[in-house]
Amino acid sequence: MKVETLRWSHNQLEMIDQRILPAAFEYVSYDSASSVAEGIRSMVVRGAPAIGVAAAYGVALEALRLQSESMADFNIGMDAGFSTLAASRPTAVNLFWALARMRGVWESVAEQSSATVAQRLLAEAHEVLAEDIRINKAMGAYGAALLPDGARVLTHCNAGALATAGWGTALGVFRSAVEAGKNISVIADETRPFLQGARLTAWEMVQENIPVTLITDNMAGYMMAQGEVDAVVVGTDRVAANGDVANKIGTYMVAVLARRHDIPFYVACPLSTIDMSIASGASIPIEERSEDEVKGFRETHWAAEGVTIRNPAFDVTPAELVTGLITERGVILCPDAPKLRELFR
Ligand SMILES: CSC[C@H]1O[C@H](OP(=O)(O)O)[C@H](O)[C@@H]1O
């Protein structure tokens, strides 16, 4: 089953509305930077690589929208569009990686007509999407080699086709392992409060007939203690230069439990998610989302009225708890600063 998380159709960007999966499968259309930024902020689209692809198209859409303006108004409007997209969510570095890439392309053709600039930016957005799938498949092959036949692999949140352009990082490893003929099975924890695991990972694996078992977040330790988990593979939103990993809230707990039970903990991580400008995880901005997400789920609330609520959307797993980073250039065991610097030579 091919999942087109984002697609270009009739000169607009269409994105699967991940807020309503799996109950409903609908695309939402976007025609400007500001509308794409709202789609990112409200998590119509989510997942670091998918956010990067969406931002790239957001820039292209803004250029198409402004291409009939004067050059001065075009440039002012484009700068505003970049700022709006950059403010949509703070943690996934792919957003800022994509914006920097698109700005570089804009600057390279800045003297051309606005129409030419718009077409060049659209071409780059298409390439960002196509490249994401190629990179995910390369990572998948390296990651699949780590999983023995019959492996039972726990994953947290959704690092699948829905978090990328269509193959997945952590779930891309599972897809590649199955393609390689391995009978792996997936244990997906539900991932409160947005339920990416119960709603998105479970849906992706069921759609593809990859065996998947849903557990609540607080069952991970029990499953490991029962000897029912052979490995953990998760995605990431930002890896610092020392190998510290920011990922969905709850990942740190899973990593600590994996270490306690001597279970390998892998992070599927495209190079676009590594931020060498940040020395350690302590400097990774952690998004605090609405308390409404914690009160219950959507319209059903169960928390006591008046209770104080926290909702950090990510946490940081220290590098020493990471068995290996699975990248498109291979697996980096025991990631540290020298090894990460080597990736970018
Ligand atoms: C392949 S990166 C997916 C990554 O993004 C998720 O966060 P969110 O759903 O809030 O965008 C989560 O951290 C996943 O691991």
Side-chain angles (χ1 to χ4, degrees):
M1 179 200 79
K2 179 171 169 53
V3 177
E4 284 189 297
T5 306
L6 316 91
R7 68 187 184 191
W8 187 252
S9 174
H10 301 97
N11 280 325
Q12 291 198 330
L13 174 68
E14 293 183 340
M15 301 196 288
I16 295 174
D17 188 344
Q18 300 188 41
R19 300 170 302 180
I20 60 177
L21 275 175
F25 184 95
E26 293 175 12
Y27 278 94
V28 180
S29 297
Y30 295 85
D31 61 3
S32 66
S34 59
S35 62
V36 170
E38 178 54 25
I40 293 169
R41 192 203 58 74
S42 62
M43 295 176 74
V44 164
V45 66
R46 33 64 51 197
I51 289 171
V53 177
Y57 276 106
V59 169
L61 284 165
E62 197 66 5
L64 289 165
R65 190 177 74 83
L66 296 170
Q67 64 182 325
S68 305
E69 301 293 330
S70 69
M71 184 56 79
D73 289 345
F74 178 85
N75 290 341
I76 291 167
M78 286 296 288
D79 277 330
F82 272 95
S83 299
T84 301
L85 286 162
S88 55
R89 290 187 79 188
T91 305
V93 71
N94 305 61
L95 169 63
F96 308 99
W97 166 86
L99 292 175
R101 174 166 169 171
M102 296 301 282
R103 183 173 284 277
V105 168
W106 177 25
E107 289 169 356
S108 72
V109 292
E111 300 313 308
Q112 307 276 339
S113 70
S114 301
T116 301
V117 170
Q119 289 307 313
R120 178 67 188 83
L121 289 170
L122 179 59
E124 191 68 14
H126 291 329
E127 176 52 25
V128 169
L129 185 150
E131 196 178 271
D132 183 76
I133 292 175
R134 291 198 300 270
I135 285 169
N136 279 197
K137 291 194 171 181
M139 290 168 55
Y142 285 117
L146 297 168
L147 300 180
D149 188 27
R152 299 158 299 178
V153 194
L154 186 145
T155 192
H156 184 68
C157 198
N158 172 263
L162 291 165
T164 63
W167 184 253
T169 57
L171 301 197
V173 168
F174 304 159
R175 289 187 167 94
S176 297
V178 169
E179 272 193 352
K182 293 186 177 176
N183 297 308
I184 60 127
S185 57
V186 177
I187 300 165
D189 66 25
E190 62 179 355
T191 316
R192 281 279 296 154
F194 200 73
L195 301 178
Q196 291 92 331
R199 296 188 302 110
L200 307 179
T201 292
W203 178 80
E204 284 195 40
M205 297 292 93
V206 165
Q207 293 293 316
E208 295 205 18
N209 298 311
I210 295 176
V212 57
T213 300
L214 176 65
I215 63 172
T216 59
D217 297 323
N218 49 12
M219 292 178 189
Y222 170 82
M223 297 295 284
M224 292 183 189
Q226 296 299 307
E228 298 190 40
V229 180
D230 300 308
V232 176
V233 183
V234 297
T236 178
D237 296 80
R238 192 181 305 219
V239 175
N242 70 339
D244 289 348
V245 171
N247 196 49
K248 183 52 46 192
I249 191 77
T251 304
Y252 172 54
M253 285 193 322
V254 171
V256 170
L257 286 164
R259 180 52 54 88
R260 168 66 180 78
H261 293 283
D262 198 23
I263 295 169
F265 179 89
Y266 295 110
V267 177
C269 171
L271 268 59
S272 56
T273 310
I274 299 173
D275 183 356
M276 295 303 286
S277 74
I278 281 191
S280 77
S283 304
I284 297 176
I286 300 297
E287 178 184 12
E288 185 87 21
R289 292 187 63 87
S290 162
E291 63 182 32
D292 287 345
E293 292 180 354
V294 176
K295 282 181 177 174
F297 190 69
R298 299 226 174 89
E299 296 69 36
T300 306
H301 290 177
W302 47 72
E305 281 303 318
V307 68
T308 301
I309 291 174
R310 287 294 312 276
N311 188 15
F314 301 93
D315 58 25
V316 174
T317 297
E320 63 262 22
L321 294 180
V322 178
T323 307
L325 287 184
I326 303 167
T327 78
E328 61 272 35
R329 293 193 182 161
V331 179
I332 313 298
L333 295 176
C334 307
D336 60 18
K339 291 177 183 172
L340 292 192
R341 278 197 295 273
E342 194 61 32
L343 275 175
F344 293 94
R345 284 200 193 290

